[in-house]
Amino acid sequence: DTEVTQTPKHLVMGMTNKKSLKCEQHMGHRAMYWYKQKAKKPPELMFVYSYEKLSINESVPSRFSPECPNSSLLNLHLHALQPEDSALYLCASSLVQYNEQFFGPGTRLTVL
Amino acid sequence: AQTVTQSQPEMSVQEAETVTLSCTYDTSESNYYLFWYKQPPSRQMILVIRQEAYKQQNATENRFSVNFQKAAKSFSLKISDSQLGDTAMYFCAFMILGGSEKLVFGKGTKLTVNP
């Protein structure tokens, strides 16, 4: 299995809703990432998990809450989002050190 | 801080022709990776090619090849025999070896292959 999967593909939520994005990989990678991407812009790093521990938080607002329950799974919990949080959310994974990141297909999030 | 510059926001090419996308970067580090990622309209980010800075030989992957000029800090992507499926946004990216694993992306070049 050489892919990163993400669910759901699309998500529409209100500003008071609580939802979660899910990312999964079975490549034995020990680093996993969340990115946010606005239209026609490069991805912006949000969080990095290494060996299931949060290693980088790029000053992301607390309404985004990451979780790494095990080495194959990465979640992003969403609560009280704003319309400007509407974007494509990409998950990626890599071997622990010095390797390229493999990206999932993304979840397109719309906040109403 | 590391920066990546893609000076061509948009490019177009005729099917079957060759096109070169430019990328320059700035770093004081000596050990790093360079990547080209492709993002078609489906929005899936796909790795096209990777170059290790310590390797002098330019990386090649089928119709895709790079021209890596370390002294000039230049990393261009050549696409030969362009196909309609090559239409996508192309991002040049940089990562320091032994760093925080953070990828630094350029702003992207939108490539359109015309029939």
Side-chain angles (χ1 to χ4, degrees), chain A residues 59-97:
Chain A
S59 302
V60 178
S62 59
R63 58 185 183 268
F64 294 91
S65 176
E67 179 196 20
C68 189
N70 59 59
S71 60
S72 300
L73 186 58
L74 184 67
N75 298 319
L76 186 63
H77 303 298
L78 314 172
H79 172 55
L81 295 193
Q82 304 296 311
E84 58 265 28
D85 297 322
S86 298
L88 182 72
Y89 287 83
L90 293 165
C91 174
S93 72
S94 69
L95 289 175
V96 175
Q97 289 181 326

Side-chain angles (χ1 to χ4, degrees), chain B residues 15-72:
Chain B
E15 199 175 3
E17 293 187 346
T18 296
V19 64
T20 299
L21 280 57
S22 301
C23 174
T24 58
Y25 59 95
D26 189 23
T27 183
S28 57
E29 302 288 335
S30 57
N31 293 320
Y32 48 86
Y33 283 144
L34 291 159
F35 306 93
W36 278 100
Y37 281 91
K38 166 186 175 182
Q39 190 174 37
S42 67
R43 306 302 300 271
Q44 172 103 43
M45 189 80 77
I46 301 164
L47 179 68
V48 175
I49 203 164
R50 173 182 103 168
Q51 175 81 44
E52 291 92 333
Y54 62 86
K55 289 187 177 179
Q56 292 187 342
Q57 186 172 5
N58 289 325
T60 299
E61 198 70 44
N62 300 316
R63 297 183 295 106
F64 298 88
S65 62
V66 298
N67 183 2
F68 174 48
Q69 302 289 326
K70 191 172 183 179

Side-chain angles (χ1 to χ4, degrees), chain B residues 38-41 83-90 110-114:
Chain B
K38 166 186 175 182
Q39 190 174 37
Q83 300 176 359
L84 297 178
D86 295 333
T87 292
M89 184 73 87
Y90 286 81
K110 183 180 178 183
L111 176 68
T112 302
V113 180
N114 298 309

Side-chain angles (χ1 to χ4, degrees), chain A residues 17-76:
Chain A
N17 291 157
K18 286 185 180 180
K19 297 286 184 183
S20 297
L21 309 184
K22 179 181 173 182
C23 173
E24 203 159 0
Q25 58 87 15
H26 296 285
M27 295 180 279
H29 289 176
R30 301 313 298 270
M32 296 185 76
Y33 311 76
W34 280 115
Y35 288 87
K36 174 183 177 180
Q37 187 180 26
K38 291 284 205 178
K40 300 182 180 180
K41 298 288 186 183
E44 298 174 15
L45 183 65
M46 300 175 71
F47 302 104
V48 181
Y49 272 83
S50 181
Y51 284 97
E52 300 153 53
K53 287 186 168 46
L54 183 65
S55 65
I56 295 177
N57 177 343
E58 291 285 312
S59 302
V60 178
S62 59
R63 58 185 183 268
F64 294 91
S65 176
E67 179 196 20
C68 189
N70 59 59
S71 60
S72 300
L73 186 58
L74 184 67
N75 298 319
L76 186 63

